[in-house]
Amino acid sequence: MNRRLTTFACLFLSAACIFAGGNKKNKNKEKQPEWINNPTSVYAESTYITGVGSAKKRSDAENDAIAAVGKYIKQTIQAEEKTTQAYSSSGSGSESYLSDIKTQTTIKDLAGVSIKENYTASDGTEYALAVLNRNESGSFYRGKVEENNNAISQLLSEASKKEGSIESCSNAMKAYSLALDNDYYLSLLAIIKPVYKKSAEISSTPSNVVAQKVSDLLSKINILISVDGDTNGRIAGALANSLAKLGIKTFGGTSGGENIRYTLFANVSYEPVTVNASNYFFCRYNISVEMIDKTTGKNVLPWSKNARVGKLSAQEAESAAVKALETVINNEFANAVSASLK
């Protein structure tokens, strides 16, 4: 009997301990703020875009939260792809240049984002809540669109006054970069504050309209090409092809008449190069280019290149040097012209 009572007492005490332990665990269970798992219950989605971050350090958690807001927006818009597609159907010779102009605005510079909540869990994990105020951010980007559109109008007006000049294209291309920024801002507004997008869009000049203006202005630039030391017109042809990629008209000899504002002078030479202890023959090509604006007498495009090419015979080396120079012009000269137009 005593043995049974003892056994029963032990079982009772064990159960009591387990029950007490369970109650203690429940009492110590951590209650986290509602915003960690459901931020929109605290900051209404109609007014805010929210992002929650966590890390061991508070600063890292806050950065993570801000990045979460940016990630949400970035996943919803693809501004660069839209601006590229908007102009891809035009078939203009300047398309390849315009597609290289990238908007400088980045998703990390979102306006109207702030850290509203912080929480430190019992295990030391830091939590942060980042909030983007739709009204504040929307007002900022709507103002940027209006500001850029005023600048675009001014730049295009100045460009129209200087048709046929590099300056006209420079102004128009600056306008195009601003128009790309506006495309991006409008895409942000479509998510952040759609009603603001509609009002900003009314006065905004689309990037494809500005791109067409750039193309028109490029086509009005006329350049006479003169090459000293050419080989069967191959270098003059390569220079003309590079300019044609941008939609610029070129002429040879004395054609073009009084409408020619720019003359591109190129001096080309090929020279054998001796390399000791080599079984190859080497030839070096040299080219120096200047483009003279006849209205000012200034050289608006200085450009030069040189390199050597090695082959098994002197004749092969010189032929290879001519071909190598053509390739360099086709690959690099258009970029030099583009840089001068910015």
Side-chain angles (χ1 to χ4, degrees):
M1 184 69 175
N2 289 336
R3 184 179 296 174
R4 289 181 180 178
L5 289 173
T6 302
T7 303
F8 177 78
C10 289
L11 291 172
F12 178 79
L13 289 172
S14 298
C17 289
I18 293 172
F19 180 77
N23 278 346
K24 186 175 182 181
K25 185 181 289 186
N26 288 335
K27 285 181 180 179
N28 292 337
K29 186 177 181 180
E30 184 176 5
K31 185 177 180 180
Q32 295 181 328
E34 181 70 16
W35 57 262
I36 291 180
N37 295 311
N38 188 17
T40 56
S41 65
V42 183
Y43 292 89
E45 190 174 2
S46 59
T47 308
Y48 302 98
I49 294 175
T50 57
V52 177
S54 62
K56 289 299 181 183
K57 292 173 58 179
R58 173 168 289 196
S59 59
D60 291 340
E62 292 179 350
N63 290 334
D64 191 37
I66 293 172
V69 174
K71 183 178 180 180
Y72 166 80
I73 295 176
K74 190 172 184 179
Q75 288 175 340
T76 314
I77 63 168
Q78 296 176 339
E80 185 176 325
E81 286 77 5
K82 288 182 179 180
T83 53
T84 301
Q85 291 171 4
Y87 190 61
S88 61
S89 61
S90 70
S92 165
S94 60
E95 179 185 340
S96 61
Y97 173 69
L98 293 175
S99 65
D100 288 336
I101 300 178
K102 305 298 182 184
T103 176
Q104 299 301 309
T105 307
T106 56
I107 200 76
K108 68 180 181 180
D109 296 324
L110 282 172
V113 181
S114 60
I115 300 296
K116 290 295 186 181
E117 306 284 352
N118 291 95
Y119 175 74
T120 304
S122 58
D123 64 356
T125 301
E126 295 285 348
Y127 292 89
L129 174 67
V131 169
L132 181 144
N133 186 302
R134 292 180 183 270
N135 292 326
E136 291 178 5
S137 185
S139 295
F140 173 81
Y141 288 117
R142 181 173 60 178
K144 292 295 291 183
V145 171
E146 293 171 354
E147 178 185 328
N148 282 353
N149 204 54
N150 289 334
I152 289 169
S153 297
Q154 183 64 33
L155 286 166
L156 292 181
S157 176
E158 290 297 320
S160 296
K161 296 175 185 177
K162 302 174 181 178
E163 286 186 355
S165 70
I166 285 177
E167 289 83 359
S168 70
C169 296
S170 177
N171 286 334
M173 287 174 179
K174 289 175 183 176
Y176 180 68
S177 291
L178 292 175
L180 286 183
D181 283 347
N182 274 358
D183 284 346
Y184 179 72
Y185 294 146
L186 290 170
S187 294
L188 284 176
L189 285 172
I191 300 163
I192 295 169
K193 196 74 175 177
V195 67
Y196 286 2
K197 183 203 173 194
K198 291 180 180 179
S199 61
E201 215 168 18
I202 294 173
S203 59
S204 180
T205 305
S207 60
N208 61 329
V209 173
V210 182
Q212 186 57 53
K213 181 64 175 179
V214 172
S215 180
D216 292 343
L217 290 169
L218 283 168
S219 69
K220 293 178 180 178
I221 295 179
N222 298 323
I223 299 177
L224 178 68
I225 297 178
S226 176
V227 180
D228 185 22
D230 202 350
T231 304
N232 299 321
R234 291 170 64 178
I235 303 307
L239 291 168
N241 287 336
S242 291
L243 293 167
K245 291 178 184 177
L246 303 175
I248 296 174
K249 294 178 181 177
T250 60
F251 303 86
T254 58
S255 60
E258 296 180 357
N259 293 325
I260 302 293
R261 175 165 178 170
Y262 300 96
T263 300
L264 188 154
F265 296 101
N267 188 283
V268 179
S269 64
Y270 303 94
E271 57 185 4
V273 178
T274 301
V275 178
N276 295 329
S278 174
N279 295 325
Y280 287 89
F281 290 83
F282 289 87
C283 180
R284 182 187 302 279
Y285 68 74
N286 301 280
I287 183 170
S288 61
V289 172
E290 57 181 17
M291 191 161 73
I292 305 300
D293 182 345
K294 73 175 185 180
T295 61
T296 64
K298 292 183 179 179
N299 178 12
V300 296
L301 180 60
W303 186 76
S304 63
K305 285 287 176 180
N306 67 80
R308 71 183 186 187
V309 181
K311 290 292 180 180
L312 292 174
S313 71
Q315 185 176 0
E316 286 179 318
E318 183 170 338
S319 296
V322 175
K323 186 174 181 59
L325 179 53
E326 284 182 294
T327 301
V328 167
I329 293 171
N330 288 325
N331 292 341
E332 299 183 24
F333 185 66
N335 292 334
V337 177
S338 296
S340 73
L341 295 174
K342 293 179 181 179

